Amino acid sequence: MSAPHSEQPSIWIGSDRDTYAAANNLHVHHGGENFGPAGQVSIAPRQLAYPVRGRQGVVDALLTAPCGTVHVVCGTGGSGKTTVALAVAAQARARGAEVWQLSAVDAATFDAHLRALAVRLGVGVERLRLAWSGSSGDAPDLVWEALERRVRPWLLIVDNADDLTILAGPDGHVEDGNGWIRRPPAPGRLLITSRNQNHEAWGSGATLHTLDVLSRGAATELLLDRAPRAGPGVQAAALADRLGHLPLLLHHAGLYLSRADRNPSWPDAPRCPGTFGAYHLALDDRLHELLDSPTARPSHLHGPRATATWEVTLDLLAGQRLGHTRPLLRLLAHFGDAPIPYTEVLPCAALRGSPLFRLPAGADLQQAVNALADYALVTTRAPGSDAHRRGHHTVTLHPLVAEVTRQLDDVRRDRGEYLALVARGLRDGAARHDPRNPSDWPFWDLATAHLHSLIQQAQDAEESGPDAETVMVVALACIEYARDAGLYDLAEVTAERAAAVCASLPADGRTALRLRRERAQLACLAGDFTAAASEYRALLGIQRRTLPGTDPQLLETQHFLAHVLNLLGDLDGAQAAYRAVLAGRSRVLGAGHIDTLWTRHNLAWIAGQRGDLAAAEAEYRAVLAERSRLLGRDHPHTLYTRHALAWVLARRGDLTAAEAEYRAVLADRSRLLGRDHPHTLHTRHARAWVLGRRGDLTAAETEYRAVLDGQVRLLGEAHPHTLSTARALDELRHRAESPSATEAADEDPYWWGAGGGGS
């Protein structure tokens, strides 16, 4: 007989061992095996050694389920499915029910347990022999007919039923209802535990109860149950967090700690951590060693490594001709902790040529993802199921499952290839999404998280990492996204991490110079105009030596230098630089190009600052028409020009029209960018300025205060934007206190008016 599943003791001899002996001594030939000596099969549920934590709701639901129903407790390996089943079994027996537990860990074990059940149900030896030998061939019917004759309430548990082909009839499926799994007759109930949580596979007659990880409180209690002397609850909670609240790993860690203080220290061997805190610290360097340590297993019981529980499922899938699920899970484990937009970032072409995959022609990656999700190794979400991830199908791994997977020996050997595939996938996804388009920002939000993880893993890896140019393509786009989305801190962190990657590239190459320009833009956004201007000038010096005079990158640097000169008050220098850029961009990119329109927009801004409001308005309207046609009425660039037109109206004294347009732009920016985006705050500031000039000081003060709060959170108290709003608020208070006072100088030179950096 095959060895019982690791979650059960290897030998159980019950009071009915003569019955089980009769079942085993039939020596029925099945699958090429003769089953062994009497007494090695028990279908009596074992007793639990510890309280059940965090699953009482599921236990109660199963205990109160009506007779004649089928229930499946499902979840990833080690989520506590068998524990739930045993808790239900104990309480059902206490209430007078007959309870049997069969193991479906493999076909041989399940077959032996079924025969033991048949004998227990009163099936005669000769009838049993005929049903199993093939002469009659009706073993499932025989067992279920015997169950139908039971009068006393009963509960049948089929444990570890991961391979559904074992449960189905010949050439059939579980949902057919004519194999080993059927709707039980009253007064019986059927409870199955399985890693497979595919509703379609179980059929409409089964109710699924999916187990997730434990709550923090329940996970902490589980550790304290097993190791009550290993430290205070706060340390247990921290360790529970590190272990991801997974019951199997918590159980293993708790048993390790309960025994560690009884074991002596061996010379030249790492000291066994004996407290929750010490175990937590040791995990970073000794993850597999601790989680797989035999110290956590009683010497009389044997079982697989704790971290191998997910590999068992992958073996099962490989047997179902889904062998590429193993490398796929390992590839997904090399992304970050964020949801993975897998349809966008799995590099299908590269996977077909990768020695890790060798995908056959026509291989269906979606089928592999579905299989991993069916067995709870990953969690999938469809578009619309998460408001923050709309537009993308995503897959998520438990962080500790990913970490354990990355540290497998054979995975570590291939880490360079896995990281290269992640970089290739992010680059492929980046090529299909615009970092300046808000509708694409959900993708960039996820891509940035995965980029950070990729860079960190590449730095930690001993072998060569992914191609630096490939990583930098993604990094530069992620910086641009974060900058345009108003996430300046994220942009700065991404730029710092990208600098480490870029260090291996030529300092005067396009990629390195592009990163320097992005960092200069961030300095400008932080209010350090002098530093930004200095960096732009240095970049121009290099670019003029290495690039043609009309190269788009050189023109872009000139454009941003002009923007900073304007911010520094050098209108003449800014205007001259913008005109040179406009001539170059018009010739190289075209008059209607998105970048050319930014230069035209900013030249109109300078005209307005010089007092030529008619020229400014005419150019703004021309740019607005082009942007509306090319990008749409509510694209961020279009909204910038609409804001600028409102600024011109205000400067010309038409405060009513200006306030109405600011209000419309504010509504669109709030919807598109969010209420705390810097551009949205710009418009709120401008509208407050107009409200103050119209005499509505109360409304103006309310707006200024809201803007100031947002700027302090986003930019800090010392940022020029924040200081400008604070001055405007002080001036408004002064006017409210002294209505006859002369108005202060205008507080709207460029922060809230027509200007913008653009690209």
Side-chain angles (χ1 to χ4, degrees), residues 233-252:
V234 64
Q235 290 185 7
L239 177 57
D241 292 342
R242 179 67 176 85
L243 294 173
H245 304 167
L246 283 170
L248 175 64
L249 300 185
L250 294 164
H251 173 76
H252 189 97

Side-chain angles (χ1 to χ4, degrees), residues 517 521 536 540 543 552-566 574 577-582 585 594-603 605 627 756-759:
R517 195 191 70 237
Q521 288 177 258
Y536 284 136
L540 277 176
Q543 290 175 326
Q553 281 200 14
L554 187 149
L555 293 172
E556 196 164 15
T557 303
Q558 288 179 300
H559 174 97
F560 281 107
L561 176 59
H563 176 64
V564 175
L565 292 175
N566 196 355
Y578 275 137
R579 285 175 175 170
V581 174
L582 180 60
R585 281 182 162 176
I594 186 173
D595 292 343
T596 308
L597 291 175
W598 260 123
T599 306
R600 291 177 60 186
H601 174 108
N602 286 5
L603 275 169
W605 175 32
R627 282 181 162 173
S759 60

